Amino acid sequence: MELESVPGVGAKTAAALRELDDPEGALRDGDVASLARAPGISEGRAARIARGAIRAEHDDPGGFAATSRAREIHEAALGLLTERTVTDYAAKRLETIYPSGVRSRIEEVRAFAEAAMERDPDEAVAEALESVEPLAEPGDVRVRDRCLATRDAERYADAQAAIPEVSVEVVDDARQLAELARSYSTVVALDEAFAGVDVDGDVRVEPDALAEPASVVPERVLTFFARNRDRIRAAAEVHRVAGLDAPCDLDALLSALDQLDDDGSVRGDDELDRLATAVDDLDAAVSTAESVANDHLREAIEEQDVTIEGTDLLSLVERGAGVDSLLQRELADEYAAAVEKARDHLVDALELRDTEATARRAFPDEPTYPVERDESVVSRLREELTAARDRRATRRKRGLADDLAEMRTDAETLVDAALELDVELAVARFAADFDCTMPELTDDGGFAIEGGRSPLLDVPFEAVEPVDYAVDGVTVLSGVNSGGKTSTLDLVALVTTLAHMGLPVPADAARVGRVSELHYHAKTQGTLDAGAFEATLREFGGLVTDVSADRPVMVLVDELESITEPGAAATIVAGILESLTEREATAVFVSHLAEDIRDAADADLAIDGIEAEGLVDGELRVNRSPVKGKLARSTPELIVEKLAEDDGSDDGFYGDLLSKFD
């Protein structure tokens, strides 16, 4: 699939999609999670791109919902599904499921929906899904303790593109390489020409480093897993609770994640922890060691009786000697003991090993009071400890990054599968909540609904009365006011829309003829002016003209007579229905002028009726399922009939009035 051939994908978006491992596969599968991993592509935009790709794949021209009311029905159907999702991703993913007149697309979704209906919408799974989100790619990783070095300008550009997390430097010779080694803890030389060069510092010659960026910047892998740790753990829990087959050993994956801190550093390494603590506590430990030495020396001086003969004192003064000479002469052993205590404290407090010799030189042998550190030695000790810590951390990072890098694809698959499960469970909940079944999709036109109940009504679904209704061809639907004509049209539109989305429908059974477009015209409030009336007629004129065997349509119209005077309306509706009949369209026109329309038509039009069974305690009792070939009586006729019955006379006022309806 050529990326830029997909509707909505320009050169910039195509370039972003090419950053993915398999953008064509993601487009073909409608994989919103994968598409949203492309730089700058949000989930909502990924869903729109996926829809465009699906239409291109199935050569689908779109436009199934051809009127505003048809689009409202589609949005309502989609809303019923998305409100049953747990994750935002699943709601966006469901937006890639749209009504289509192309059988291959419908069958594709039907296969998905049939499998989804087998899922158990367990509340424990829904709870586990609450913490699952698409994986995020961290874009702020920067590593300042190492750099790449090369002699080649072209490789310099390649290195910047391949490993942007570290600095890249151009060097000409070993001398410049050595200078870099003094500035960075690790230098990775990309040129084979540097092999065998002897310079101080951690300099590694790795000509293949650009092909294995994780070896240079393990932080890239570690930060990815650290940022997504909770999402991966949640996805693993979803797999366990739902009994899904995991793409990897979950215990091994979770164990590796447990070795990561929130910032991507490695934990669970005692030696690394020792070195890190030593670096952090060095200054405090040196200060305490000084105090230990000085406390010991102070006590020794306080307890010592020092006698200096006059000639000795005069000699010391003449030589300009101070207290240091006095300490060396009279308290040399006590000073040595004090310094040894300081050294022992420093080594023990920081648990020093390889750097112990350097640490012991931090307090000099020459007597002084107070005892003071050798700042240059302390700085050297800090450098040695820091280098040891960083080397240990890098080794551990590399090892863990190598392990996690091998699991990345599996982790992505794990999370994607959990998110897709939410999509399936939304369909399963929808089917269960509204007692749905998969409809039969035919190429013969018409529809037949058995036990259909609309979830769009403003009453609890359990209270909705089931409706049976079937139409083949064109018919006029008559019925009493508030008898359910509009809700019947809504049910037909909803069942038709869901069937063309490839989804189950709220009915005991349903047969739906495949059409290219659904034209649903809702009731107009009030008579239209001349311009609006003309526009409406033009719309129907274009519709009737374009209907063909290759472009079958379903037309649902609610009281078209409301757009003009009743007498003219009957003639206009009759003409429209005759034209639709000639073109073998499927159409249901709700009208209170059914008898007038039939009289005005040259063709034999079918009329169905929603029958009122009568008035009970002032309330209209209705059989909600339309009766075939039945012109329903109006509400006024029922009221007059009741009054005549109450009057008890066939030739009274009410009886005479009732006879006018015959």
Side-chain angles (χ1 to χ4, degrees):
M1 178 184 295
E2 181 61 37
L3 296 183
E4 293 187 37
S5 69
V6 175
V9 176
K12 187 175 179 180
T13 301
L17 293 175
R18 289 190 183 97
E19 296 288 325
L20 303 174
D21 291 336
D22 183 15
E24 291 83 2
L27 288 169
R28 195 163 42 248
D29 298 338
D31 187 348
V32 173
S34 293
L35 294 174
R37 292 193 192 107
I41 304 295
S42 65
E43 287 179 14
R45 188 162 178 225
R48 292 192 295 273
I49 292 171
R51 281 198 303 274
I54 291 168
R55 286 199 170 104
E57 180 75 11
H58 292 278
D59 195 22
D60 184 350
F64 177 89
T67 62
S68 59
R69 182 55 183 159
R71 289 189 286 273
E72 289 172 1
I73 293 293
H74 170 221
E75 290 169 3
L78 191 60
L80 292 172
L81 288 158
T82 56
E83 67 188 23
R84 284 163 175 76
T85 61
V86 177
T87 64
D88 291 339
Y89 166 82
K92 296 297 183 185
R93 174 72 171 83
L94 282 168
E95 291 179 8
T96 66
I97 300 177
Y98 60 90
S100 170
V102 179
R103 179 172 283 278
S104 61
R105 172 56 183 168
I106 299 171
E107 294 296 342
E108 185 176 68
V109 180
R110 280 175 67 94
F112 159 79
E114 287 170 348
M117 291 170 68
E118 299 297 321
R119 295 285 189 190
D120 177 16
D122 191 335
E123 285 304 313
V125 177
E127 184 176 342
L129 278 165
E130 289 178 356
S131 298
V132 181
E133 296 180 52
L135 299 178
E137 192 71 49
D140 57 351
V141 179
R142 288 293 299 170
V143 180
R144 305 187 185 281
D145 67 344
R146 74 201 74 133
C147 77
L148 298 171
T150 180
R151 299 169 61 179
D152 185 90
E154 185 175 341
R155 185 170 294 177
Y156 170 85
D158 292 341
Q160 285 186 316
I163 310 180
E165 296 91 345
V166 301
S167 295
V168 185
E169 306 289 345
V170 176
V171 295
D172 295 325
D173 50 35
R175 181 184 59 81
Q176 292 182 346
L177 195 64
E179 290 177 359
L180 284 179
R182 285 192 290 273
S183 302
Y184 294 94
S185 62
T186 301
V187 177
V188 179
L190 301 176
D191 304 305
E192 189 71 48
F194 287 120
V197 173
D198 185 16
V199 296
D200 292 336
D202 184 13
V203 176
R204 295 183 278 130
V205 180
E206 297 184 8
D208 297 330
L210 300 187
E212 299 177 0
S215 68
V216 179
V217 190
E219 291 86 353
R220 177 187 293 186
V221 175
L222 299 181
T223 303
F224 170 82
F225 277 95
R227 298 273 178 88
N228 292 293
R229 183 173 52 185
D230 292 342
R231 304 175 187 196
I232 295 171
R233 284 174 171 166
E237 181 63 17
V238 169
H239 277 68
R240 284 177 169 164
V241 174
L244 298 179
D245 292 332
C248 62
D249 184 337
L250 293 182
D251 290 335
L253 175 59
L254 295 176
S255 176
L257 291 177
D258 287 341
Q259 298 177 55
L260 277 176
D261 270 328
D262 292 340
D263 62 357
S265 59
V266 180
R267 64 184 179 187
D269 184 325
D270 293 339
E271 176 64 8
L272 180 58
D273 291 343
R274 180 187 71 81
L275 291 169
T277 301
V279 172
D280 293 340
D281 296 349
L282 176 59
D283 288 335
V286 171
S287 296
T288 303
E290 283 181 336
S291 298
V292 168
N294 287 314
D295 288 347
H296 175 84
L297 198 55
R298 187 180 299 107
E299 290 174 6
I301 293 172
E302 289 173 352
E303 295 175 0
Q304 185 78 30
D305 291 330
V306 179
T307 302
I308 303 177
E309 294 182 3
T311 56
D312 292 335
L313 178 60
L314 183 60
S315 175
L316 289 170
V317 171
E318 288 175 346
R319 296 200 307 266
V323 70
D324 294 348
S325 298
L326 181 61
L327 288 172
Q328 187 171 11
R329 174 179 170 179
E330 300 294 335
L331 297 170
D333 292 341
E334 293 298 339
Y335 181 84
V339 168
E340 193 61 25
K341 280 191 172 185
R343 292 167 175 169
D344 288 344
H345 175 83
L346 182 59
V347 170
D348 293 342
L350 300 181
E351 299 181 42
L352 300 181
R353 296 170 189 169
D354 296 339
T355 55
E356 180 179 347
T358 302
R360 289 190 174 280
R361 292 196 299 274
F363 296 98
D365 292 327
E366 295 76 14
T368 61
Y369 186 81
V371 178
E372 294 181 344
R373 74 191 79 179
D374 184 330
E375 206 56 70
S376 65
V377 176
V378 173
S379 295
R380 190 176 310 117
L381 177 60
R382 181 179 291 105
E383 291 173 359
E384 291 178 1
L385 287 171
T386 301
R389 179 201 63 189
D390 291 346
R391 285 194 298 271
R392 178 77 182 187
T394 299
R395 286 196 299 272
R396 289 286 290 117
K397 284 179 178 179
R398 280 186 169 185
L400 183 57
D402 287 344
D403 292 340
L404 287 172
E406 294 179 356
M407 300 180 187
R408 173 157 178 164
T409 299
D410 289 338
E412 291 173 348
T413 302
L414 187 81
V415 173
D416 288 353
L419 292 169
E420 287 297 323
L421 177 64
D422 190 22
V423 182
E424 295 179 34
L425 290 177
V427 175
R429 291 189 192 97
F430 172 81
D433 290 349
F434 301 122
D435 298 330
C436 292
T437 187
M438 287 303 295
E440 176 189 358
L441 190 70
T442 73
D443 291 322
D444 299 330
F447 64 84
I449 301 171
E450 297 179 19
R453 290 190 291 166
S454 174
L456 304 180
L457 298 175
D458 292 330
V459 296
F461 183 72
E462 296 74 17
V464 177
E465 297 180 37
V467 172
D468 298 334
Y469 192 34
V471 170
D472 289 293
V474 174
T475 192
V476 179
L477 179 60
S478 62
V480 295
N481 291 331
S482 302
K485 299 185 298 299
T486 298
S487 61
T488 298
L489 277 194
D490 283 349
L491 175 64
V492 173
L494 179 64
V495 168
T496 300
T497 298
L498 287 169
H500 284 78
M501 293 173 77
L503 297 173
V505 301
D508 295 336
R511 168 182 60 80
V512 177
R514 184 169 59 89
V515 295
S516 297
E517 297 173 7
L518 171 63
H519 292 256
Y520 185 0
H521 293 268
K523 186 187 304 184
T524 301
Q525 299 299 319
T527 302
L528 300 181
D529 60 31
F533 179 68
E534 178 183 350
T536 301
L537 286 184
R538 285 184 179 277
E539 183 176 352
F540 276 100
L543 167 63
V544 170
T545 301
D546 292 342
V547 173
S548 66
D550 295 331
R551 185 176 169 268
V553 300
M554 176 181 287
V555 183
L556 305 176
V557 181
D558 194 2
E559 295 188 20
L560 185 61
E561 62 263 25
S562 62
I563 68 173
T564 187
E565 296 87 352
T571 302
I572 291 169
V573 171
I576 294 172
L577 291 174
E578 286 176 358
S579 296
L580 291 173
T581 300
E582 292 172 0
R583 288 162 176 77
E584 298 183 351
T586 299
V588 178
F589 276 55
V590 166
S591 178
H592 289 290
L593 306 176
E595 190 169 12
D596 295 335
I597 292 169
R598 182 175 57 187
D599 293 341
D602 294 331
D604 185 14
L605 295 180
I607 295 180
D608 301 332
I610 294 180
E611 277 280 274
E613 297 176 349
L615 292 169
V616 178
D617 297 328
E619 295 291 332
L620 192 67
R621 179 171 294 176
V622 179
N623 175 11
R624 302 292 178 181
S625 295
V627 178
K628 302 299 295 179
K630 178 71 174 181
L631 178 62
R633 292 188 297 169
S634 66
T635 302
E637 181 180 357
L638 291 171
I639 294 173
V640 172
E641 181 182 62
K642 182 178 184 302
L643 292 173
E645 290 175 354
D646 293 344
D647 186 52
S649 172
D650 292 335
D651 55 1
F653 172 75
Y654 297 117
D656 291 341
L657 197 57
L658 182 61
S659 66
K660 300 294 184 181
F661 287 96
D662 294 335

